[in-house]
Amino acid sequence: MDETINRRTFMTLAAAGGMAAAIPATVPNIAHAAIEEEHPKHMMELPADAPTVAILVHPKMVAIDLVGAMTVLKILRCRIFLVWKDKTPVPTELGIPVPPTHTFAECPRDLDVLLVPGGTMGTVAYMNDPEVINFLADRGSRAKWVTAFCTGAITLAGSGLLNGYKATTFWPLTRFLPLMGATYVNDRVVVDRNRITAGGPTAGIDFALVIATKLKGEEAARRVALILEYAPKPPFHNGTPEEAGPERTKAALDGRVWMDGQVEKQAKIAQKRLGT
């Protein structure tokens, strides 16, 4: 990726974090170097015992799925690997490309956390992709924590890693988990032994704070929550079918008929492949 694209991508992400006004779009590389030099050394270097986290980044991923959870893990000072088949930037639904940092082959074999974010059409495309499934099954067989949220839980289930476990996923797709051997639990975050799954895109921060607690303890996770000023106070409660009611829920499902049908086809292929 050339310098112009790098700068444009950085500024798009910076705007989302409220930094665009403070950093000119044309700031030269020397300014970036100066900022990094002034940054406290202890904040730039990861501790020797930093948890190792591999996040599957894939084309058609939902950007908030990556950014919310990754922000928590970054503040927690984890060593994060963004992994995909190659290092070509992957497009998200917002049009913001995400460059993988490591290929599947380059990803460490032994992980503290394997994390699969979501994106419905990405799930459709990759939940039966042999290269993706083999990577997840391999790293998941040794990872201390095998995790996913949103439709990433469907992809994870397709690799066989939720067979025999309690799990949850994005609410329109929960009925597909049992096809691949998982037991659906209606909760925002579900922990079953070393599997952690969560609901839709906004559950990513809740999910990551649970992981933070497992990795570094509750006080460390509380510190992250305070730094992020994580104190949700929506103008209304309409984020689950129970809160939205039957009419709004039906309207939302009516708009997803084709997409969810594609997920069902792939889930049934995975069911046959897994023998569940």
Side-chain angles (χ1 to χ4, degrees):
M1 184 183 297
D2 63 31
E3 181 181 337
T4 304
I5 295 175
N6 273 333
R7 186 178 297 118
R8 184 181 300 115
T9 301
F10 171 76
M11 290 307 303
T12 304
L13 294 170
M19 297 186 293
I23 306 176
T26 57
V27 63
N29 288 339
I30 190 170
H32 288 293
I35 291 170
E36 290 180 1
E37 186 176 347
E38 291 175 5
H39 199 62
K41 186 176 180 180
H42 74 278
M43 292 299 294
M44 298 293 292
E45 295 180 356
L46 291 173
D49 64 346
T52 301
V53 179
I55 304 177
L56 182 75
V57 293
H58 56 81
K60 304 179 183 178
M61 177 178 61
V62 171
I64 193 175
D65 278 20
L66 172 66
V67 173
M70 186 177 174
T71 299
V72 171
L73 296 171
K74 184 73 173 177
I75 295 172
L76 196 68
R77 304 188 72 192
C78 294
R79 182 170 283 107
I80 299 173
F81 297 81
L82 303 181
V83 297
W84 185 238
K85 297 179 182 182
D86 55 45
K87 294 182 181 177
T88 304
V90 300
T92 64
E93 94 291 5
L94 295 182
I96 301 173
V98 174
T101 60
H102 293 75
T103 65
F104 289 166
E106 294 169 342
C107 178
R109 286 176 50 81
D110 299 301
L111 301 167
D112 291 295
V113 179
L114 174 65
L115 170 56
V116 184
T120 300
M121 297 316 297
T123 292
V124 168
Y126 304 112
M127 68 180 291
N128 285 295
D129 182 312
E131 195 173 353
V132 174
I133 296 307
N134 289 339
F135 168 77
L136 293 177
D138 177 73
R139 297 310 193 272
S141 69
R142 292 183 300 276
K144 292 180 182 177
W145 295 99
V146 178
T147 73
F149 67 98
C150 196
T151 66
I154 299 293
T155 304
L156 193 65
S159 70
L161 290 169
L162 292 181
N163 189 2
Y165 289 85
K166 296 175 183 177
T168 191
T169 188
F170 186 36
W171 68 266
L173 307 180
T174 56
R175 67 189 185 277
F176 302 132
L177 285 173
L179 296 180
M180 294 168 284
T183 299
Y184 166 60
V185 176
N186 183 15
D187 207 348
R188 189 162 173 84
V189 180
V190 174
V191 181
D192 184 358
R193 289 159 282 175
N194 75 329
R195 297 328 195 234
I196 307 176
T197 52
T202 65
I205 294 179
D206 303 63
F207 160 86
L209 289 171
V210 171
I211 294 175
T213 302
K214 301 293 185 182
L215 293 174
K216 291 289 187 176
E218 184 174 319
E219 283 305 312
R222 283 177 174 270
R223 174 180 173 272
V224 175
L226 182 58
I227 289 171
L228 291 175
E229 196 175 347
Y230 185 58
K233 193 175 181 180
F236 44 76
H237 293 281
N238 201 72
T240 66
E242 294 80 8
E243 291 179 349
E247 291 185 8
R248 292 191 181 96
T249 298
K250 182 180 182 302
L253 288 173
D254 286 347
R256 296 182 53 90
V257 170
W258 181 83
M259 282 196 302
D260 292 354
Q262 301 307 302
V263 177
E264 183 173 14
K265 289 178 183 178
Q266 293 301 317
K268 288 180 176 179
I269 292 172
Q271 179 186 31
K272 185 176 181 179
R273 171 170 51 80
L274 296 169
T276 53

